[in-house]
PDB file of all heavy atoms in Angstrom:
ATOM      1  N   ASN A  10       8.565  -5.014   1.510  1.00 83.00           N
ATOM      2  CA  ASN A  10       7.778  -5.484   0.367  1.00 83.00           C
ATOM      3  C   ASN A  10       8.449  -5.000  -0.925  1.00 83.00           C
ATOM      4  O   ASN A  10       8.434  -3.816  -1.251  1.00 83.00           O
ATOM      5  CB  ASN A  10       6.350  -4.932   0.513  1.00 83.00           C
ATOM      6  CG  ASN A  10       5.445  -5.363  -0.611  1.00 83.00           C
ATOM      7  OD1 ASN A  10       5.876  -5.499  -1.759  1.00 83.00           O
ATOM      8  ND2 ASN A  10       4.179  -5.558  -0.286  1.00 83.00           N
ATOM      9  N   LYS A  13       6.381  -2.937  -3.401  1.00 80.00           N
ATOM     10  CA  LYS A  13       6.144  -1.552  -2.948  1.00 80.00           C
ATOM     11  C   LYS A  13       7.393  -0.712  -3.157  1.00 80.00           C
ATOM     12  O   LYS A  13       7.328   0.430  -3.586  1.00 80.00           O
ATOM     13  CB  LYS A  13       5.837  -1.542  -1.444  1.00 80.00           C
ATOM     14  CG  LYS A  13       4.424  -1.819  -1.096  1.00 80.00           C
ATOM     15  CD  LYS A  13       4.307  -1.544   0.396  1.00 80.00           C
ATOM     16  CE  LYS A  13       3.009  -2.014   0.947  1.00 80.00           C
ATOM     17  NZ  LYS A  13       2.965  -1.844   2.402  1.00 80.00           N
ATOM     18  N   GLU A  16       7.682   0.261  -6.759  1.00 78.00           N
ATOM     19  CA  GLU A  16       6.701   1.309  -7.108  1.00 78.00           C
ATOM     20  C   GLU A  16       7.168   2.668  -6.573  1.00 78.00           C
ATOM     21  O   GLU A  16       7.143   3.674  -7.265  1.00 78.00           O
ATOM     22  CB  GLU A  16       5.327   0.979  -6.510  1.00 78.00           C
ATOM     23  CG  GLU A  16       4.565  -0.095  -7.267  1.00 78.00           C
ATOM     24  CD  GLU A  16       3.165  -0.354  -6.713  1.00 78.00           C
ATOM     25  OE1 GLU A  16       2.633   0.485  -5.949  1.00 78.00           O
ATOM     26  OE2 GLU A  16       2.613  -1.395  -7.037  1.00 78.00           O
ATOM     27  N   GLU A  42       2.699  -4.735  14.154  1.00 92.00           N
ATOM     28  CA  GLU A  42       1.701  -3.814  13.575  1.00 92.00           C
ATOM     29  C   GLU A  42       0.352  -4.084  14.223  1.00 92.00           C
ATOM     30  O   GLU A  42      -0.491  -4.774  13.671  1.00 92.00           O
ATOM     31  CB  GLU A  42       1.619  -4.023  12.060  1.00 92.00           C
ATOM     32  CG  GLU A  42       2.860  -3.588  11.341  1.00 92.00           C
ATOM     33  CD  GLU A  42       2.790  -3.867   9.846  1.00 92.00           C
ATOM     34  OE1 GLU A  42       1.724  -3.719   9.237  1.00 92.00           O
ATOM     35  OE2 GLU A  42       3.839  -4.245   9.294  1.00 92.00           O
ATOM     36  N   LYS A  54       5.414   1.962  12.261  1.00 96.00           N
ATOM     37  CA  LYS A  54       6.592   1.595  11.455  1.00 96.00           C
ATOM     38  C   LYS A  54       7.541   2.776  11.232  1.00 96.00           C
ATOM     39  O   LYS A  54       8.753   2.624  11.327  1.00 96.00           O
ATOM     40  CB  LYS A  54       6.137   1.010  10.108  1.00 96.00           C
ATOM     41  CG  LYS A  54       5.472  -0.356  10.251  1.00 96.00           C
ATOM     42  CD  LYS A  54       5.110  -0.971   8.912  1.00 96.00           C
ATOM     43  CE  LYS A  54       3.736  -0.585   8.458  1.00 96.00           C
ATOM     44  NZ  LYS A  54       3.260  -1.331   7.275  1.00 96.00           N
ATOM     45  N   ASP A  69       4.498   3.012   4.844  1.00 94.00           N
ATOM     46  CA  ASP A  69       3.101   3.016   4.434  1.00 94.00           C
ATOM     47  C   ASP A  69       2.383   1.798   4.985  1.00 94.00           C
ATOM     48  O   ASP A  69       2.997   0.773   5.263  1.00 94.00           O
ATOM     49  CB  ASP A  69       2.967   3.103   2.901  1.00 94.00           C
ATOM     50  CG  ASP A  69       2.898   1.754   2.224  1.00 94.00           C
ATOM     51  OD1 ASP A  69       3.644   0.858   2.640  1.00 94.00           O
ATOM     52  OD2 ASP A  69       2.094   1.611   1.294  1.00 94.00           O
ATOM     53  N   ASP A  70       1.117   1.945   5.201  1.00 95.00           N
ATOM     54  CA  ASP A  70       0.289   0.805   5.533  1.00 95.00           C
ATOM     55  C   ASP A  70      -0.913   0.897   4.624  1.00 95.00           C
ATOM     56  O   ASP A  70      -1.489   1.973   4.455  1.00 95.00           O
ATOM     57  CB  ASP A  70      -0.132   0.826   7.000  1.00 95.00           C
ATOM     58  CG  ASP A  70      -0.588  -0.558   7.418  1.00 95.00           C
ATOM     59  OD1 ASP A  70       0.243  -1.478   7.407  1.00 95.00           O
ATOM     60  OD2 ASP A  70      -1.780  -0.729   7.724  1.00 95.00           O
ATOM     61  N   SER A  71      -1.233  -0.221   4.007  1.00 95.00           N
ATOM     62  CA  SER A  71      -2.280  -0.153   3.007  1.00 95.00           C
ATOM     63  C   SER A  71      -3.091  -1.428   2.984  1.00 95.00           C
ATOM     64  O   SER A  71      -2.722  -2.425   3.605  1.00 95.00           O
ATOM     65  CB  SER A  71      -1.652   0.091   1.641  1.00 95.00           C
ATOM     66  OG  SER A  71      -0.521  -0.729   1.481  1.00 95.00           O
ATOM     67  N   GLY A  72      -4.172  -1.389   2.253  1.00 97.00           N
ATOM     68  CA  GLY A  72      -4.992  -2.582   2.129  1.00 97.00           C
ATOM     69  C   GLY A  72      -6.241  -2.303   1.339  1.00 97.00           C
ATOM     70  O   GLY A  72      -6.467  -1.175   0.874  1.00 97.00           O
ATOM     71  N   SER A  86      -5.564  -6.910   5.564  1.00 97.00           N
ATOM     72  CA  SER A  86      -5.507  -7.409   4.189  1.00 97.00           C
ATOM     73  C   SER A  86      -4.442  -8.486   3.972  1.00 97.00           C
ATOM     74  O   SER A  86      -4.680  -9.485   3.291  1.00 97.00           O
ATOM     75  CB  SER A  86      -5.246  -6.253   3.216  1.00 97.00           C
ATOM     76  OG  SER A  86      -6.352  -5.390   3.189  1.00 97.00           O
ATOM     77  N   LYS A  87      -3.275  -8.268   4.551  1.00 93.00           N
ATOM     78  CA  LYS A  87      -2.177  -9.228   4.356  1.00 93.00           C
ATOM     79  C   LYS A  87      -2.526 -10.560   5.042  1.00 93.00           C
ATOM     80  O   LYS A  87      -2.412 -11.625   4.450  1.00 93.00           O
ATOM     81  CB  LYS A  87      -0.903  -8.636   4.965  1.00 93.00           C
ATOM     82  CG  LYS A  87       0.356  -9.320   4.577  1.00 93.00           C
ATOM     83  CD  LYS A  87       1.503  -8.488   5.090  1.00 93.00           C
ATOM     84  CE  LYS A  87       2.813  -9.166   5.018  1.00 93.00           C
ATOM     85  NZ  LYS A  87       3.859  -8.263   5.530  1.00 93.00           N
ATOM     86  N   LEU A  90      -5.280 -12.498   3.160  1.00 97.00           N
ATOM     87  CA  LEU A  90      -4.753 -13.182   1.971  1.00 97.00           C
ATOM     88  C   LEU A  90      -3.928 -14.410   2.377  1.00 97.00           C
ATOM     89  O   LEU A  90      -4.060 -15.486   1.798  1.00 97.00           O
ATOM     90  CB  LEU A  90      -3.887 -12.196   1.168  1.00 97.00           C
ATOM     91  CG  LEU A  90      -3.535 -12.500  -0.275  1.00 97.00           C
ATOM     92  CD1 LEU A  90      -4.765 -12.776  -1.110  1.00 97.00           C
ATOM     93  CD2 LEU A  90      -2.763 -11.335  -0.892  1.00 97.00           C
ATOM     94  N   PHE A 117      -8.894   0.737  -2.364  1.00 98.00           N
ATOM     95  CA  PHE A 117      -7.601   0.566  -1.704  1.00 98.00           C
ATOM     96  C   PHE A 117      -7.290   1.853  -0.972  1.00 98.00           C
ATOM     97  O   PHE A 117      -7.567   2.948  -1.491  1.00 98.00           O
ATOM     98  CB  PHE A 117      -6.471   0.378  -2.729  1.00 98.00           C
ATOM     99  CG  PHE A 117      -6.291  -1.015  -3.230  1.00 98.00           C
ATOM    100  CD1 PHE A 117      -6.661  -1.354  -4.521  1.00 98.00           C
ATOM    101  CD2 PHE A 117      -5.719  -1.996  -2.428  1.00 98.00           C
ATOM    102  CE1 PHE A 117      -6.469  -2.638  -5.005  1.00 98.00           C
ATOM    103  CE2 PHE A 117      -5.523  -3.288  -2.907  1.00 98.00           C
ATOM    104  CZ  PHE A 117      -5.902  -3.610  -4.192  1.00 98.00           C
ATOM    105  N   PHE A 151       0.878  -6.824  -7.440  1.00 91.00           N
ATOM    106  CA  PHE A 151       0.958  -7.772  -6.328  1.00 91.00           C
ATOM    107  C   PHE A 151      -0.374  -7.781  -5.575  1.00 91.00           C
ATOM    108  O   PHE A 151      -1.307  -7.061  -5.931  1.00 91.00           O
ATOM    109  CB  PHE A 151       2.125  -7.413  -5.389  1.00 91.00           C
ATOM    110  CG  PHE A 151       1.927  -6.123  -4.635  1.00 91.00           C
ATOM    111  CD1 PHE A 151       1.500  -6.128  -3.313  1.00 91.00           C
ATOM    112  CD2 PHE A 151       2.148  -4.905  -5.251  1.00 91.00           C
ATOM    113  CE1 PHE A 151       1.318  -4.940  -2.608  1.00 91.00           C
ATOM    114  CE2 PHE A 151       1.966  -3.715  -4.559  1.00 91.00           C
ATOM    115  CZ  PHE A 151       1.548  -3.732  -3.237  1.00 91.00           C
ATOM    116  N   GLY A 152      -0.416  -8.571  -4.526  1.00 96.00           N
ATOM    117  CA  GLY A 152      -1.597  -8.611  -3.651  1.00 96.00           C
ATOM    118  C   GLY A 152      -2.893  -8.780  -4.420  1.00 96.00           C
ATOM    119  O   GLY A 152      -3.015  -9.658  -5.282  1.00 96.00           O
ATOM    120  N   TYR A 153      -3.845  -7.901  -4.125  1.00 98.00           N
ATOM    121  CA  TYR A 153      -5.197  -8.014  -4.662  1.00 98.00           C
ATOM    122  C   TYR A 153      -5.341  -7.397  -6.067  1.00 98.00           C
ATOM    123  O   TYR A 153      -6.455  -7.307  -6.573  1.00 98.00           O
ATOM    124  CB  TYR A 153      -6.188  -7.334  -3.702  1.00 98.00           C
ATOM    125  CG  TYR A 153      -6.270  -7.983  -2.333  1.00 98.00           C
ATOM    126  CD1 TYR A 153      -5.353  -7.661  -1.325  1.00 98.00           C
ATOM    127  CD2 TYR A 153      -7.252  -8.920  -2.036  1.00 98.00           C
ATOM    128  CE1 TYR A 153      -5.419  -8.251  -0.062  1.00 98.00           C
ATOM    129  CE2 TYR A 153      -7.326  -9.509  -0.786  1.00 98.00           C
ATOM    130  CZ  TYR A 153      -6.413  -9.180   0.202  1.00 98.00           C
ATOM    131  OH  TYR A 153      -6.476  -9.770   1.438  1.00 98.00           O
ATOM    132  N   ASP A 154      -4.253  -6.958  -6.663  1.00 97.00           N
ATOM    133  CA  ASP A 154      -4.327  -6.302  -7.983  1.00 97.00           C
ATOM    134  C   ASP A 154      -5.137  -7.087  -9.033  1.00 97.00           C
ATOM    135  O   ASP A 154      -5.877  -6.474  -9.803  1.00 97.00           O
ATOM    136  CB  ASP A 154      -2.911  -6.027  -8.525  1.00 97.00           C
ATOM    137  CG  ASP A 154      -2.251  -4.826  -7.855  1.00 97.00           C
ATOM    138  OD1 ASP A 154      -2.971  -4.069  -7.167  1.00 97.00           O
ATOM    139  OD2 ASP A 154      -1.033  -4.651  -8.013  1.00 97.00           O
ATOM    140  N   LYS A 174      -0.155   2.010 -13.271  1.00 92.00           N
ATOM    141  CA  LYS A 174      -0.703   1.908 -11.906  1.00 92.00           C
ATOM    142  C   LYS A 174      -0.296   3.136 -11.089  1.00 92.00           C
ATOM    143  O   LYS A 174      -1.096   3.701 -10.358  1.00 92.00           O
ATOM    144  CB  LYS A 174      -0.205   0.611 -11.244  1.00 92.00           C
ATOM    145  CG  LYS A 174      -0.758   0.411  -9.834  1.00 92.00           C
ATOM    146  CD  LYS A 174      -0.320  -0.892  -9.182  1.00 92.00           C
ATOM    147  CE  LYS A 174      -0.723  -0.922  -7.715  1.00 92.00           C
ATOM    148  NZ  LYS A 174      -0.261  -2.089  -6.975  1.00 92.00           N
ATOM    149  N   HIS A 179      -3.602   4.439  -5.077  1.00 95.00           N
ATOM    150  CA  HIS A 179      -3.696   4.943  -3.701  1.00 95.00           C
ATOM    151  C   HIS A 179      -2.311   5.301  -3.170  1.00 95.00           C
ATOM    152  O   HIS A 179      -2.110   6.325  -2.553  1.00 95.00           O
ATOM    153  CB  HIS A 179      -4.356   3.868  -2.822  1.00 95.00           C
ATOM    154  CG  HIS A 179      -3.759   2.494  -2.972  1.00 95.00           C
ATOM    155  ND1 HIS A 179      -3.585   1.893  -4.199  1.00 95.00           N
ATOM    156  CD2 HIS A 179      -3.261   1.614  -2.075  1.00 95.00           C
ATOM    157  CE1 HIS A 179      -3.031   0.704  -4.039  1.00 95.00           C
ATOM    158  NE2 HIS A 179      -2.818   0.516  -2.751  1.00 95.00           N
ATOM    159  N   ARG A 180      -1.326   4.404  -3.480  1.00 90.00           N
ATOM    160  CA  ARG A 180       0.031   4.634  -2.955  1.00 90.00           C
ATOM    161  C   ARG A 180       0.661   5.858  -3.603  1.00 90.00           C
ATOM    162  O   ARG A 180       1.279   6.674  -2.926  1.00 90.00           O
ATOM    163  CB  ARG A 180       0.896   3.377  -3.190  1.00 90.00           C
ATOM    164  CG  ARG A 180       2.254   3.444  -2.508  1.00 90.00           C
ATOM    165  CD  ARG A 180       2.906   2.072  -2.415  1.00 90.00           C
ATOM    166  NE  ARG A 180       2.094   1.143  -1.652  1.00 90.00           N
ATOM    167  CZ  ARG A 180       1.303   0.203  -2.191  1.00 90.00           C
ATOM    168  NH1 ARG A 180       1.262   0.034  -3.501  1.00 90.00           N
ATOM    169  NH2 ARG A 180       0.571  -0.573  -1.431  1.00 90.00           N
TER     170      ARG A 180
HETATM  171  P1  LIG B   1       0.910  -3.673   4.027  1.00 54.50           P
HETATM  172  O1  LIG B   1       0.757  -2.218   3.852  1.00 54.50           O
HETATM  173  O2  LIG B   1       2.229  -4.168   3.549  1.00 54.50           O
HETATM  174  O3  LIG B   1       0.546  -4.162   5.385  1.00 54.50           O
HETATM  175  O4  LIG B   1      -0.120  -4.293   2.963  1.00 54.50           O
HETATM  176  C1  LIG B   1      -1.179  -5.098   3.316  1.00 54.50           C
HETATM  177  C2  LIG B   1      -1.663  -5.942   2.167  1.00 54.50           C
HETATM  178  O5  LIG B   1      -2.595  -5.172   1.393  1.00 54.50           O
HETATM  179  C3  LIG B   1      -0.619  -6.395   1.163  1.00 54.50           C
HETATM  180  O6  LIG B   1       0.003  -7.562   1.568  1.00 54.50           O
HETATM  181  C4  LIG B   1      -1.458  -6.622  -0.075  1.00 54.50           C
HETATM  182  O7  LIG B   1      -2.051  -7.896  -0.021  1.00 54.50           O
HETATM  183  C5  LIG B   1      -2.527  -5.557   0.055  1.00 54.50           C
HETATM  184  N1  LIG B   1      -2.145  -4.396  -0.748  1.00 54.50           N
HETATM  185  C6  LIG B   1      -1.619  -3.230  -0.329  1.00 54.50           C
HETATM  186  N2  LIG B   1      -1.394  -2.405  -1.366  1.00 54.50           N
HETATM  187  C7  LIG B   1      -1.769  -3.084  -2.465  1.00 54.50           C
HETATM  188  C8  LIG B   1      -1.741  -2.780  -3.853  1.00 54.50           C
HETATM  189  O8  LIG B   1      -1.294  -1.704  -4.322  1.00 54.50           O
HETATM  190  N3  LIG B   1      -2.211  -3.748  -4.663  1.00 54.50           N
HETATM  191  C9  LIG B   1      -2.684  -4.929  -4.231  1.00 54.50           C
HETATM  192  N4  LIG B   1      -2.712  -5.278  -2.963  1.00 54.50           N
HETATM  193  C10 LIG B   1      -2.256  -4.361  -2.076  1.00 54.50           C
END
Side-chain angles (χ1 to χ4, degrees):
N10 180 325
K13 276 189 190 175
E16 283 184 17
E42 292 177 38
K54 291 184 270 189
D69 91 319
D70 198 64
S71 44
S86 293
K87 194 172 169 179
L90 197 54
F117 276 108
F151 68 100
Y153 297 84
D154 283 347
K174 181 178 171 184
H179 49 309
R180 188 164 300 101

